[in-house]
Amino acid sequence: MDAQIPEYERYISNLFAPEDAALQLAREEMLRAGMPQISVSASSGKLLHVLARIIGAERILEVGTLGGYSAIWLARALPARGKLISLEIDERYAQVARRNLERAGVVEKVQVRIGPALESLSRLEAEEGQAPFDLIFIDADKDLYVEYLRKAVSLLREGGLVLGDNTLPQAVLDAAADSGTKRYNAEVSARLDLISILVPALRIKGIDGLTISIKQTQRA
Ligand code: SAH
Ligand code: DHB
Ligand code: MG
């Protein structure tokens, strides 16, 4: 069964998420730069795009830029006045991302901020007059996912979405391990201010998961 997952991914992405030249080039540039091939798949990129469109997102925050592949899918969901802030610790990756975002025609809408994401998130929390985000995509180091979540929720508007990447299969398979994504899934499922579901997702390498949470108004 699992052997067919790459075929399912190809079927969905060929129909619903064909990559244009900019997205293909983004992957090639990451390969050339010797970066890890851990961007979201095309079908997952399209899922992020569709979710952003559903809620009419105008302000998006991403934790973990890599080469900007998911950022391109997200930024393309934004209206002309929309903004995406993407956080990345590795300056070299951020440079590759900026070039890729430029070729994709979205560089004006995207700001890549370099530094440890926890620090960047604290700085965002402290910024005066910073409007809340409509959508926050968490996709950096898994050990800190719960920390990222807590800051993300405080930066999010009511009705906004927090998305956690790679929440399957490690959360299930590493039964003994105290995996970051497992703790993330436990935390979002228990929080009363979030309505959440883990949606299985396909990657070229196999099954994966995206945990989707809506921030809800707390009722007394
Ligand atoms: N969202 C990207 C993939 C991100 S891969 C896409 O799908 O296209 C995870 C990224 O998080 C890597 O680029 C890694 O350098 C970055 N990262 C890891 N630890 C980090 C930290 N503490 N702060 C900010 N970024 C971090
Ligand atoms: C891997 C995939 C990811 O999407 C990620 O953010 C980190 C690691 C992986 O396949 O190892
Ligand atoms: Mg990921």
Side-chain angles (χ1 to χ4, degrees):
M1 271 293 275
D2 273 13
Q4 290 168 32
I5 284 175
E7 283 176 57
Y8 301 151
E9 168 58 24
R10 266 193 297 276
Y11 174 77
I12 298 173
S13 55
N14 285 344
L15 267 182
F16 297 102
E19 290 181 336
D20 67 357
L23 284 164
Q24 284 172 26
L25 257 167
R27 285 195 189 282
E28 286 165 25
E29 289 295 327
M30 285 187 269
L31 263 180
R32 223 190 306 274
M35 291 162 66
Q37 291 176 264
I38 55 174
S39 309
V40 296
S41 61
S43 70
S44 292
K46 181 67 178 286
L47 176 59
L48 297 174
H49 179 100
V50 168
L51 289 169
R53 293 253 179 189
I54 287 171
I55 61 160
E58 296 189 359
R59 287 179 52 75
I60 299 178
L61 177 62
E62 175 177 70
V63 185
T65 315
L66 193 65
Y69 184 85
S70 53
I72 294 173
W73 282 104
L74 285 167
R76 285 178 168 173
L78 289 168
R81 64 181 172 285
K83 274 271 169 261
L84 165 66
I85 297 176
S86 187
L87 310 179
E88 174 56 52
I89 198 165
D90 189 312
E91 196 167 344
R92 250 188 67 244
Y93 292 178
Q95 275 171 21
V96 173
R98 286 194 185 105
R99 280 202 303 279
N100 287 334
L101 290 158
E102 193 159 357
R103 262 195 300 269
V106 292
V107 77
E108 260 98 75
K109 292 178 187 170
V110 184
Q111 187 184 48
V112 182
R113 295 193 183 184
I114 296 160
L118 267 187
E119 287 178 21
S120 303
L121 288 166
S122 297
R123 212 160 286 138
L124 278 168
E125 281 178 327
E127 268 177 35
E128 292 284 327
Q130 179 80 250
F133 290 93
D134 303 305
L135 186 155
I136 303 180
F137 177 46
I138 299 176
D139 193 19
D141 41 338
K142 314 306 168 202
D143 288 350
L144 290 178
Y145 261 35
V146 168
E147 259 67 45
Y148 295 147
L149 172 77
R150 290 175 186 159
K151 293 202 176 289
V153 173
S154 88
L155 288 163
L156 197 69
R157 73 160 161 88
E158 283 180 4
L161 297 181
V162 191
L163 310 174
D165 195 40
N166 312 114
T167 51
L168 276 182
Q170 252 59 45
V172 178
L173 298 182
D174 292 2
D178 175 33
S179 98
T181 50
K182 188 174 189 168
R183 281 185 283 118
Y184 181 90
N185 286 329
E187 167 115 355
V188 295
S189 62
R191 279 184 74 136
L192 299 177
D193 55 349
L194 298 174
I195 304 170
S196 304
I197 185 69
L198 200 178
V199 180
L202 303 179
R203 299 291 153 89
I204 287 294
K205 284 188 233 161
I207 194 86
D208 210 297
L210 183 74
T211 298
I212 303 175
S213 305
I214 311 175
K215 181 172 172 175
Q216 69 167 334
T217 318
Q218 292 225 56
R219 294 182 187 88

